[in-house]
Amino acid sequence: MPNFCAAPNCTRKSTQSDLAFFRFPRDPERCRIWVENCRRADLEAKTSDQLNKHYRLCAKHFDPAMVCKTSPYRTVLKDTAIPTIFDLTSHLKNPHTRHRKRIKELTEDDIRRMKERRLASSAEQLAAKKDEDSSTTNEDEPQLSTEEKEYRDHLKSLFEIVVMFGKQGIPLAADKVSEPELESNNIQAFLDYCINAGDEALRKRFEATAVNAEYLSATQLNQLLDVCENTVREEMVMEVRESRFFSLVTGEFVEFADEKHLPLFLRFVNQQNILREEFLDFIPLGDGDESALVEKIEAQVTDRWGLSMEDCRGQAHKATGTSTTKMKAVAVLLMEKYPLALHMPCSHMALNVHLGNNLPFPNVQVVMETLRRIEALFKSQFSQVELENAISTHYQKNEDRGAALREACSPGWTEQHNVFDVLLEILPPLLLCMENIWENDNRHFTSSVAADAYAIAEVLADFEVVVTVVILKNVLTFTRAFGRNMQGETLDVFSAASSLTAVMHSLNEVNDNIDVYHEFWYEEALNLAAQMEVPVSLPRLFLRKQREVEMGEIQAESYFKEYVTIPVIRGIMQEVEDMFCDTNVKALKCLSLVPAVMGHMKFNTTEENYADVYRNDLPNPDTLPAELHCWRIKWKHRGKEVRLPTTIHETLQLPDVKFFPNVNSFLKVLSTLPVLKLESGNNAASERLQGYLDGGPAKYWHKSLAMLHINTHVKHDLDVMVDKYCRLYPEDDPEAEPEAEPEAEGSAGGGADAAVEGGAEGAADGATDGAAEGDVATK
């Protein structure tokens, strides 16, 4: 059972932290002092024995000089240790915090007694420190036995191998060889190699074992992976805690062991004022609805990582297909609980692609899925050459246009802001290309690629798809420039926020005159279909339903107006309004704090009008107007040789920004908004995730290895991993459940009663994904 910290406003527990947890002392006087310092009135009525048995404080509440590590497996407090470090104010900023431990209000007598006691305690600690300095006794950690050293060296070699597998993206099991009953195992092969190469720690461990003994059981392997994963994650979570504010970014669903998982990233500004977006974990979806998924996300962020969702300032969900509806509902539920967790599009995805993915209409989703299949198909060099040849053939009378389209169809064109413009232009040659690949006369393509091309060709030759592409292209023309600016430089984002009214006005004008616009767009679709030799027809499913209810015959133009044009235009209008509501636009207009934006506005900016969004996040909100005035004056009267910083990142790196604390805090919070693009190279987490998934078959994916592969840049200490593993999984029974360490023998003053109860992140998490039979390495 995990130990929970009894301190107010502290959410740590032993299964999620590498910190030591200490019992309340049995000595009544010292126990009373601990309770008074905690300022929890509900503990005052309990006896010292009750407190000693049921309550703990984590090491964060003690002066580090009072905490002693007597061995790699045990941490104790000094006899005179008293907790003095508490957070007694953070709950005031969050009156809705649930399950908060009630803090006792102090009287003047209480304050006087505590001051006297602290003075006396400081004097005792100073005297004790002098005695330690003058003492010649060596209080270093006791030496490990030979067996313990060998076991730790053995574990260190194993951890080094596991980390290497993760960094290189090597699967645990290899492909089956010729005989069905044999299966090669990568872990076993590498252990054999290391032993033969002279790794003494591994050789000594295995040379005396039976011939058929396991090198590494599936349980042990999962324990090693679990410790590696949690150690790396804790490094990143610590940085987020220091930064406080963050945003949630989720990716597309990933399937491990026949269960879908949601990749979860955190976006934050670290202590060096650098914007980062890091991958933290995969959240299993299970069979629950959207509210269940919200609860899982909250539990992951608060219970496991020790963060507060009240500090979440944004959320973005990169979803496709049927998952878009689910993630939109998740975003709404999160904003209902945490209004400042602003829902915005993700900077990784072009706005027009995001809008297309979010439209819940079957015909639109068919087009978006076809685009994803086209992208996958053209990763082959032969496919790209075939497309370029088809474009040259179709535009042989207009070579300039053909050359421009060949350049526009470079790899990645399906993710660009103008994707629907390009798709409409190349639709006839694209259909020709798919048919050529399907026929496969030159035998350049495998049967699976030819089958994919046939399926794509069948979709492109559907008149409903042709009409849908024409409608999407024409409607999303009004948001194309807006989206490009929204994911551009800081000045472009500020301009886009100011131009939202014009975008909505254009969309409303189309909606008000839908008959006229539809007539032109439908004629364009007819001409395109004629070029592609696609017959005009109504969807077969609609015709069948029409016959069933004996409806009168409906004209094709009327059908596509009612079921395609009107839903698409109104759906896009609703999506834009939802993603750029008044609060979101106010937040983006605060980008006028960036000096280059201020200069563009002739230093006539009015950030005060939008500051209410983040007023509670500022250190000195009452002085904000005066500070903003000084900030504008500073840049308005700069020297001619001084260049105005153009981005938030540049502004935060200025040495004198620290003299403007409100501006500094404002910029840090704004940086976390998911719609703002990351600095060059900082989106490596999402790219590495995709690289891991593209690197091998889905049956070899492993979520712990994926975590290690994505976060290769995170520093890790093998000795820390070994310490944590030894604490969680004792050597004498590697497959036993980890137990809390026994408390030390009592001594005068009760100091040794505060022996650590153990606990490290990951103990309650259970083993990671079970390894397949082929993952068991045998000797």
Coordinates of all heavy atoms in Angstrom, one line a residue, residues 134-211:
S134 N 34.2 18.5 13.5 CA 35.3 18.3 14.3 C 35.6 16.8 14.5 O 36.7 16.4 14.9 CB 35.2 19.0 15.6 OG 34.1 18.5 16.3
S135 N 34.6 16.0 14.3 CA 34.8 14.6 14.6 C 35.6 13.9 13.4 O 35.5 14.3 12.3 CB 33.4 13.9 14.6 OG 33.5 12.5 14.7
T136 N 36.4 13.0 13.8 CA 37.2 12.2 12.9 C 36.6 10.9 12.4 O 37.1 10.2 11.7 CB 38.6 11.9 13.5 OG1 38.4 11.2 14.7 CG2 39.3 13.2 13.8
T137 N 35.3 10.7 13.0 CA 34.6 9.5 12.6 C 34.2 9.5 11.2 O 33.6 10.5 10.7 CB 33.4 9.3 13.5 OG1 33.9 9.3 14.9 CG2 32.8 8.0 13.2
N138 N 34.5 8.5 10.4 CA 34.1 8.4 9.0 C 32.7 7.9 9.0 O 32.4 6.7 9.3 CB 35.0 7.5 8.3 CG 34.7 7.4 6.8 OD1 33.9 8.2 6.3 ND2 35.4 6.5 6.1
E139 N 31.7 8.8 8.5 CA 30.3 8.4 8.5 C 29.9 8.1 7.0 O 28.8 8.3 6.7 CB 29.5 9.5 9.1 CG 29.7 9.8 10.5 CD 28.7 10.8 11.1 OE1 28.0 11.4 10.3 OE2 28.8 11.0 12.3
D140 N 30.9 7.8 6.2 CA 30.5 7.4 4.8 C 29.6 6.2 4.8 O 29.5 5.4 5.8 CB 31.8 7.2 4.0 CG 32.5 8.4 3.8 OD1 31.9 9.5 3.9 OD2 33.7 8.3 3.5
E141 N 29.0 6.0 3.7 CA 28.1 4.8 3.5 C 28.9 3.5 3.7 O 30.1 3.4 3.3 CB 27.5 4.8 2.2 CG 26.6 6.0 1.9 CD 26.0 6.0 0.5 OE1 26.2 5.0 -0.2 OE2 25.3 6.9 0.2
P142 N 28.4 2.5 4.4 CA 29.1 1.3 4.6 C 29.4 0.6 3.2 O 28.6 0.7 2.3 CB 28.1 0.4 5.4 CG 26.8 1.0 5.2 CD 27.0 2.5 5.0
Q143 N 30.5 -0.1 3.2 CA 30.9 -0.8 2.0 C 30.0 -1.9 1.7 O 29.5 -2.6 2.6 CB 32.4 -1.3 2.1 CG 33.4 -0.2 2.3 CD 33.4 0.7 1.1 OE1 33.4 0.2 -0.1 NE2 33.5 2.0 1.3
L144 N 29.7 -2.1 0.4 CA 28.8 -3.2 0.0 C 29.7 -4.5 0.0 O 30.9 -4.5 -0.2 CB 28.3 -3.0 -1.4 CG 27.4 -1.8 -1.6 CD1 27.1 -1.6 -3.1 CD2 26.1 -1.9 -0.8
S145 N 29.0 -5.6 0.2 CA 29.6 -6.9 0.2 C 30.0 -7.2 -1.3 O 29.5 -6.6 -2.2 CB 28.7 -8.0 0.8 OG 27.6 -8.1 -0.1
T146 N 30.8 -8.2 -1.4 CA 31.2 -8.7 -2.8 C 30.0 -9.1 -3.6 O 29.9 -8.8 -4.8 CB 32.3 -9.8 -2.7 OG1 33.4 -9.3 -1.9 CG2 32.8 -10.2 -4.1
E147 N 29.1 -9.9 -2.9 CA 27.9 -10.3 -3.6 C 27.0 -9.2 -4.1 O 26.5 -9.2 -5.2 CB 27.1 -11.3 -2.7 CG 27.8 -12.6 -2.4 CD 28.9 -12.5 -1.4 OE1 29.0 -11.4 -0.8 OE2 29.7 -13.5 -1.2
E148 N 26.9 -8.2 -3.2 CA 26.1 -7.0 -3.5 C 26.7 -6.3 -4.7 O 26.0 -5.8 -5.6 CB 25.9 -6.1 -2.3 CG 25.0 -6.7 -1.3 CD 24.9 -5.8 0.0 OE1 25.9 -5.2 0.3 OE2 23.8 -5.7 0.6
K149 N 28.0 -6.1 -4.7 CA 28.6 -5.4 -5.8 C 28.4 -6.1 -7.1 O 28.1 -5.5 -8.2 CB 30.1 -5.2 -5.5 CG 30.5 -4.2 -4.5 CD 32.0 -4.0 -4.4 CE 32.4 -2.9 -3.4 NZ 33.8 -2.8 -3.3
E150 N 28.6 -7.4 -7.1 CA 28.5 -8.2 -8.3 C 27.0 -8.1 -8.8 O 26.8 -8.1 -10.0 CB 28.9 -9.7 -8.1 CG 30.4 -9.8 -7.9 CD 30.7 -11.3 -7.6 OE1 29.8 -12.1 -7.4 OE2 32.0 -11.6 -7.5
Y151 N 26.1 -8.2 -7.9 CA 24.7 -8.1 -8.3 C 24.4 -6.8 -8.9 O 23.7 -6.7 -10.0 CB 23.8 -8.4 -7.1 CG 22.3 -8.3 -7.4 CD1 21.7 -9.2 -8.4 CD2 21.5 -7.4 -6.8 CE1 20.4 -9.1 -8.7 CE2 20.1 -7.3 -7.1 CZ 19.6 -8.2 -8.0 OH 18.2 -8.1 -8.3
R152 N 24.9 -5.7 -8.3 CA 24.6 -4.4 -8.9 C 25.3 -4.2 -10.2 O 24.8 -3.5 -11.1 CB 25.1 -3.3 -7.9 CG 24.2 -3.2 -6.6 CD 24.8 -2.3 -5.6 NE 24.8 -0.9 -6.1 CZ 23.8 -0.1 -6.0 NH1 22.6 -0.5 -5.5 NH2 23.8 1.1 -6.5
D153 N 26.5 -4.7 -10.4 CA 27.2 -4.6 -11.7 C 26.4 -5.4 -12.7 O 26.3 -4.9 -13.9 CB 28.6 -5.2 -11.6 CG 29.6 -4.3 -10.8 OD1 29.2 -3.1 -10.6 OD2 30.6 -4.8 -10.3
H154 N 25.9 -6.5 -12.3 CA 25.0 -7.3 -13.3 C 23.8 -6.5 -13.7 O 23.5 -6.4 -14.9 CB 24.6 -8.6 -12.6 CG 23.4 -9.3 -13.1 ND1 23.4 -9.9 -14.4 CD2 22.2 -9.4 -12.6 CE1 22.2 -10.4 -14.6 NE2 21.4 -10.1 -13.6
L155 N 23.1 -5.9 -12.7 CA 22.0 -5.1 -13.1 C 22.3 -3.9 -13.9 O 21.6 -3.5 -14.9 CB 21.3 -4.5 -11.8 CG 20.5 -5.6 -10.9 CD1 20.0 -4.9 -9.6 CD2 19.3 -6.1 -11.7
K156 N 23.5 -3.3 -13.7 CA 23.9 -2.1 -14.5 C 24.1 -2.5 -15.9 O 23.7 -1.8 -16.9 CB 25.2 -1.5 -13.9 CG 25.5 -0.2 -14.4 CD 26.7 0.5 -13.6 CE 27.0 1.8 -14.1 NZ 28.1 2.5 -13.3
S157 N 24.7 -3.7 -16.2 CA 24.8 -4.2 -17.5 C 23.5 -4.4 -18.2 O 23.3 -4.1 -19.4 CB 25.6 -5.5 -17.5 OG 27.0 -5.3 -17.1
L158 N 22.6 -5.0 -17.4 CA 21.2 -5.2 -18.0 C 20.5 -3.9 -18.4 O 19.9 -3.8 -19.4 CB 20.4 -6.0 -17.0 CG 20.8 -7.5 -16.8 CD1 19.8 -8.1 -15.8 CD2 20.8 -8.3 -18.1
F159 N 20.6 -2.9 -17.5 CA 20.0 -1.6 -17.7 C 20.7 -1.0 -19.0 O 20.0 -0.3 -19.8 CB 20.1 -0.7 -16.5 CG 19.0 -0.9 -15.5 CD1 19.3 -1.3 -14.2 CD2 17.7 -0.7 -15.9 CE1 18.3 -1.5 -13.3 CE2 16.7 -0.9 -14.9 CZ 17.0 -1.3 -13.7
E160 N 22.0 -1.1 -19.1 CA 22.6 -0.5 -20.2 C 22.1 -1.1 -21.5 O 21.9 -0.4 -22.5 CB 24.1 -0.7 -20.1 CG 25.0 0.1 -21.0 CD 26.5 0.0 -20.7 OE1 26.8 -0.8 -19.9 OE2 27.2 0.7 -21.4
I161 N 21.9 -2.5 -21.5 CA 21.4 -3.1 -22.7 C 19.9 -2.7 -23.0 O 19.6 -2.4 -24.2 CB 21.4 -4.7 -22.5 CG1 22.9 -5.1 -22.5 CG2 20.7 -5.4 -23.6 CD1 23.0 -6.6 -22.1
V162 N 19.1 -2.6 -22.0 CA 17.7 -2.2 -22.2 C 17.6 -0.8 -22.7 O 16.9 -0.5 -23.7 CB 16.9 -2.3 -20.8 CG1 15.6 -1.6 -21.0 CG2 16.7 -3.8 -20.5
V163 N 18.5 0.1 -22.2 CA 18.5 1.5 -22.6 C 18.9 1.6 -24.1 O 18.4 2.3 -24.9 CB 19.4 2.4 -21.7 CG1 19.6 3.8 -22.4 CG2 18.7 2.5 -20.4
M164 N 19.9 0.8 -24.4 CA 20.4 0.7 -25.8 C 19.3 0.3 -26.8 O 19.2 0.8 -27.8 CB 21.7 -0.2 -25.9 CG 22.3 -0.2 -27.2 SD 21.6 -1.4 -28.4 CE 22.0 -2.9 -27.6
F165 N 18.6 -0.8 -26.3 CA 17.5 -1.3 -27.2 C 16.4 -0.1 -27.4 O 15.9 0.0 -28.5 CB 16.8 -2.5 -26.5 CG 17.3 -3.8 -26.9 CD1 18.7 -4.1 -26.7 CD2 16.5 -4.7 -27.5 CE1 19.2 -5.3 -27.1 CE2 17.1 -6.0 -27.9 CZ 18.4 -6.3 -27.7
G166 N 16.1 0.6 -26.4 CA 15.2 1.7 -26.5 C 15.7 2.8 -27.4 O 15.0 3.3 -28.3
K167 N 16.9 3.2 -27.2 CA 17.5 4.3 -28.0 C 17.6 3.9 -29.5 O 17.2 4.8 -30.4 CB 18.9 4.6 -27.6 CG 18.9 5.5 -26.3 CD 20.4 5.9 -25.9 CE 20.4 6.8 -24.7 NZ 21.8 7.3 -24.4
Q168 N 18.0 2.7 -29.8 CA 18.1 2.3 -31.2 C 16.8 1.8 -31.8 O 16.8 1.5 -33.0 CB 19.2 1.2 -31.3 CG 20.5 1.6 -30.8 CD 21.1 2.7 -31.5 OE1 20.9 2.9 -32.7 NE2 21.9 3.6 -30.9
G169 N 15.7 1.7 -31.0 CA 14.5 1.2 -31.6 C 14.5 -0.3 -32.0 O 13.8 -0.7 -32.9
I170 N 15.3 -1.1 -31.2 CA 15.4 -2.5 -31.6 C 14.3 -3.2 -30.9 O 14.1 -3.1 -29.7 CB 16.8 -3.1 -31.1 CG1 17.9 -2.3 -31.7 CG2 16.9 -4.6 -31.4 CD1 19.3 -2.7 -31.2
P171 N 13.5 -4.0 -31.6 CA 12.4 -4.8 -30.9 C 13.0 -5.9 -30.0 O 14.1 -6.3 -30.2 CB 11.6 -5.4 -32.1 CG 12.6 -5.5 -33.2 CD 13.6 -4.3 -33.0
L172 N 12.2 -6.3 -29.0 CA 12.6 -7.3 -28.1 C 12.7 -8.7 -28.8 O 13.6 -9.4 -28.5 CB 11.6 -7.4 -26.9 CG 11.5 -6.1 -26.1 CD1 10.5 -6.3 -25.0 CD2 12.8 -5.8 -25.4
A173 N 11.8 -9.0 -29.7 CA 11.8 -10.3 -30.4 C 12.0 -10.0 -31.9 O 11.6 -9.0 -32.4 CB 10.5 -11.0 -30.2
A174 N 12.7 -11.0 -32.5 CA 13.0 -10.9 -33.9 C 12.0 -11.7 -34.7 O 11.2 -12.4 -34.2 CB 14.4 -11.4 -34.2
D175 N 12.1 -11.6 -36.0 CA 11.1 -12.3 -36.9 C 11.4 -13.8 -36.7 O 12.5 -14.3 -36.4 CB 11.3 -11.9 -38.4 CG 10.8 -10.6 -38.6 OD1 9.7 -10.3 -38.1 OD2 11.4 -9.8 -39.4
K176 N 10.3 -14.6 -37.0 CA 10.5 -16.1 -36.9 C 11.4 -16.6 -38.0 O 11.4 -16.0 -39.1 CB 9.1 -16.7 -37.0 CG 8.2 -16.5 -35.8 CD 6.9 -17.2 -35.9 CE 6.1 -17.1 -34.7 NZ 4.8 -17.8 -34.7
V177 N 12.2 -17.6 -37.6 CA 13.1 -18.2 -38.6 C 12.4 -19.3 -39.3 O 11.2 -19.5 -39.2 CB 14.4 -18.7 -37.9 CG1 15.1 -17.5 -37.4 CG2 14.0 -19.6 -36.8
S178 N 13.1 -20.1 -40.1 CA 12.5 -21.1 -41.0 C 11.6 -22.1 -40.2 O 10.6 -22.5 -40.7 CB 13.6 -21.8 -41.8 OG 14.5 -22.4 -40.9
E179 N 12.1 -22.6 -39.1 CA 11.3 -23.6 -38.4 C 10.3 -22.9 -37.5 O 10.7 -22.1 -36.7 CB 12.2 -24.5 -37.5 CG 13.2 -25.2 -38.4 CD 14.1 -26.2 -37.5 OE1 13.6 -26.5 -36.4 OE2 15.2 -26.5 -37.9
P180 N 9.0 -23.2 -37.6 CA 8.0 -22.5 -36.8 C 8.2 -22.6 -35.3 O 7.8 -21.7 -34.6 CB 6.7 -23.2 -37.3 CG 7.0 -23.9 -38.6 CD 8.5 -24.2 -38.5
E181 N 8.8 -23.7 -34.8 CA 8.9 -23.8 -33.4 C 10.0 -23.0 -32.8 O 10.1 -22.9 -31.6 CB 9.0 -25.3 -33.0 CG 10.3 -25.9 -33.5 CD 10.2 -26.5 -34.9 OE1 9.2 -26.2 -35.5 OE2 11.1 -27.2 -35.3
L182 N 10.9 -22.5 -33.6 CA 12.0 -21.7 -33.2 C 11.7 -20.2 -33.4 O 11.2 -19.8 -34.4 CB 13.3 -22.0 -33.9 CG 13.7 -23.5 -33.7 CD1 15.0 -23.7 -34.6 CD2 14.0 -23.8 -32.3
E183 N 12.1 -19.4 -32.4 CA 11.9 -17.9 -32.5 C 13.1 -17.2 -32.0 O 13.5 -17.5 -30.8 CB 10.7 -17.5 -31.8 CG 10.4 -16.0 -32.1 CD 9.1 -15.5 -31.6 OE1 8.4 -16.4 -30.9 OE2 8.7 -14.4 -31.8
S184 N 13.8 -16.5 -32.8 CA 15.0 -15.8 -32.3 C 14.6 -14.7 -31.4 O 13.6 -14.0 -31.5 CB 15.7 -15.2 -33.5 OG 16.8 -14.4 -33.1
N185 N 15.4 -14.4 -30.4 CA 15.2 -13.4 -29.4 C 16.3 -12.4 -29.3 O 17.5 -12.8 -29.1 CB 14.9 -14.0 -28.0 CG 14.5 -13.0 -27.0 OD1 15.4 -12.3 -26.5 ND2 13.3 -13.0 -26.6
N186 N 16.0 -11.1 -29.5 CA 17.1 -10.2 -29.6 C 17.8 -10.0 -28.3 O 19.0 -9.7 -28.3 CB 16.5 -8.8 -30.1 CG 16.1 -8.9 -31.6 OD1 16.6 -9.7 -32.3 ND2 15.2 -8.0 -32.0
I187 N 17.1 -10.0 -27.2 CA 17.7 -9.8 -25.9 C 18.7 -11.0 -25.6 O 19.8 -10.7 -25.2 CB 16.6 -9.8 -24.8 CG1 15.9 -8.4 -24.8 CG2 17.3 -10.0 -23.4 CD1 16.6 -7.3 -24.2
Q188 N 18.3 -12.2 -25.9 CA 19.1 -13.3 -25.7 C 20.4 -13.2 -26.5 O 21.5 -13.4 -26.1 CB 18.4 -14.6 -26.0 CG 19.3 -15.9 -25.9 CD 18.6 -17.1 -26.3 OE1 17.4 -17.2 -26.3 NE2 19.4 -18.2 -26.7
A189 N 20.2 -12.8 -27.8 CA 21.3 -12.7 -28.7 C 22.3 -11.7 -28.2 O 23.5 -11.9 -28.3 CB 20.8 -12.4 -30.1
F190 N 21.8 -10.6 -27.7 CA 22.7 -9.5 -27.3 C 23.4 -9.9 -26.0 O 24.6 -9.5 -25.8 CB 22.0 -8.2 -27.1 CG 22.9 -7.0 -27.2 CD1 23.3 -6.5 -28.5 CD2 23.3 -6.4 -26.1 CE1 24.1 -5.4 -28.6 CE2 24.2 -5.3 -26.2 CZ 24.6 -4.8 -27.4
L191 N 22.7 -10.6 -25.1 CA 23.4 -11.0 -23.9 C 24.5 -12.0 -24.2 O 25.6 -12.0 -23.6 CB 22.3 -11.7 -22.9 CG 21.4 -10.8 -22.2 CD1 20.3 -11.5 -21.5 CD2 22.1 -9.9 -21.2
D192 N 24.2 -12.9 -25.1 CA 25.3 -13.8 -25.6 C 26.5 -13.1 -26.1 O 27.6 -13.4 -25.8 CB 24.7 -14.8 -26.7 CG 24.0 -15.9 -26.1 OD1 24.3 -16.4 -25.0 OD2 23.0 -16.4 -26.8
Y193 N 26.2 -12.1 -26.9 CA 27.3 -11.3 -27.5 C 28.1 -10.6 -26.4 O 29.3 -10.6 -26.4 CB 26.7 -10.2 -28.5 CG 27.7 -9.2 -28.9 CD1 28.6 -9.5 -30.0 CD2 27.8 -8.0 -28.4 CE1 29.5 -8.6 -30.4 CE2 28.7 -7.0 -28.8 CZ 29.6 -7.4 -29.8 OH 30.5 -6.5 -30.2
C194 N 27.4 -9.9 -25.4 CA 28.1 -9.2 -24.4 C 29.0 -10.2 -23.5 O 30.1 -9.8 -23.1 CB 27.1 -8.5 -23.5 SG 26.2 -7.1 -24.3
I195 N 28.4 -11.3 -23.2 CA 29.2 -12.3 -22.4 C 30.4 -12.8 -23.2 O 31.5 -12.8 -22.7 CB 28.3 -13.5 -22.1 CG1 27.2 -13.1 -21.1 CG2 29.2 -14.6 -21.4 CD1 26.2 -14.1 -20.8
N196 N 30.3 -13.0 -24.5 CA 31.4 -13.5 -25.3 C 32.4 -12.4 -25.5 O 33.6 -12.6 -25.8 CB 30.9 -14.0 -26.7 CG 30.1 -15.3 -26.5 OD1 30.3 -16.1 -25.6 ND2 29.1 -15.5 -27.4
A197 N 31.9 -11.1 -25.5 CA 32.8 -10.0 -25.7 C 33.6 -9.6 -24.4 O 34.4 -8.7 -24.4 CB 32.0 -8.7 -26.1
G198 N 33.2 -10.3 -23.3 CA 34.0 -10.1 -22.1 C 33.3 -9.3 -21.0 O 34.0 -8.8 -20.1
D199 N 32.0 -9.2 -20.9 CA 31.3 -8.6 -19.8 C 31.4 -9.5 -18.6 O 30.6 -10.5 -18.5 CB 29.9 -8.3 -20.2 CG 29.2 -7.4 -19.2 OD1 29.3 -7.6 -18.0 OD2 28.5 -6.4 -19.7
E200 N 32.2 -9.2 -17.7 CA 32.5 -10.1 -16.5 C 31.2 -10.2 -15.6 O 30.9 -11.2 -15.0 CB 33.7 -9.6 -15.7 CG 35.0 -9.9 -16.4 CD 35.2 -11.4 -16.7 OE1 35.0 -12.2 -15.8 OE2 35.6 -11.7 -17.8
A201 N 30.5 -9.0 -15.5 CA 29.4 -9.0 -14.6 C 28.3 -10.0 -15.1 O 27.7 -10.7 -14.3 CB 28.8 -7.6 -14.5
L202 N 28.1 -10.0 -16.4 CA 27.1 -11.0 -16.9 C 27.6 -12.4 -16.9 O 26.9 -13.3 -16.6 CB 26.7 -10.6 -18.4 CG 25.9 -9.3 -18.5 CD1 25.7 -9.0 -20.0 CD2 24.6 -9.3 -17.8
R203 N 28.9 -12.6 -17.2 CA 29.4 -13.9 -17.2 C 29.4 -14.6 -15.9 O 28.9 -15.7 -15.7 CB 30.9 -13.9 -17.8 CG 31.5 -15.3 -17.9 CD 32.9 -15.2 -18.4 NE 33.7 -14.5 -17.4 CZ 34.2 -15.0 -16.2 NH1 33.9 -16.3 -16.0 NH2 34.9 -14.3 -15.4
K204 N 29.8 -13.8 -14.8 CA 29.8 -14.4 -13.5 C 28.4 -14.8 -13.0 O 28.2 -15.7 -12.3 CB 30.4 -13.4 -12.5 CG 31.9 -13.3 -12.6 CD 32.5 -12.3 -11.6 CE 34.0 -12.1 -11.8 NZ 34.5 -11.1 -10.8
R205 N 27.4 -13.9 -13.5 CA 26.1 -14.2 -13.1 C 25.5 -15.5 -13.7 O 24.7 -16.2 -13.0 CB 25.2 -13.0 -13.5 CG 23.8 -13.0 -13.0 CD 23.8 -12.7 -11.5 NE 22.4 -12.8 -10.9 CZ 22.1 -12.6 -9.6 NH1 23.1 -12.4 -8.8 NH2 20.9 -12.7 -9.2
F206 N 25.9 -15.8 -14.9 CA 25.2 -16.9 -15.6 C 26.1 -18.1 -15.7 O 25.5 -19.2 -16.1 CB 24.8 -16.4 -17.0 CG 23.8 -15.3 -17.0 CD1 24.0 -14.1 -17.7 CD2 22.6 -15.5 -16.4 CE1 23.1 -13.1 -17.7 CE2 21.6 -14.5 -16.4 CZ 21.8 -13.3 -17.0
E207 N 27.4 -18.0 -15.4 CA 28.2 -19.2 -15.7 C 27.9 -20.4 -14.8 O 28.1 -21.5 -15.1 CB 29.7 -18.8 -15.6 CG 30.2 -18.5 -14.2 CD 31.6 -18.1 -14.2 OE1 32.3 -18.2 -15.2 OE2 32.1 -17.8 -13.1
A208 N 27.4 -20.1 -13.6 CA 27.1 -21.1 -12.6 C 25.7 -21.6 -12.6 O 25.3 -22.5 -11.8 CB 27.5 -20.6 -11.2
T209 N 24.9 -21.1 -13.5 CA 23.5 -21.5 -13.6 C 23.3 -22.7 -14.4 O 24.2 -23.1 -15.2 CB 22.6 -20.4 -14.1 OG1 23.1 -20.0 -15.5 CG2 22.7 -19.1 -13.3
A210 N 22.1 -23.3 -14.3 CA 21.8 -24.5 -15.1 C 21.8 -24.2 -16.6 O 21.6 -23.0 -17.0 CB 20.5 -25.1 -14.7
V211 N 22.0 -25.2 -17.4 CA 22.1 -25.0 -18.8 C 20.8 -24.4 -19.4 O 20.8 -23.5 -20.2 CB 22.4 -26.3 -19.5 CG1 22.4 -26.1 -21.1 CG2 23.8 -26.8 -19.1

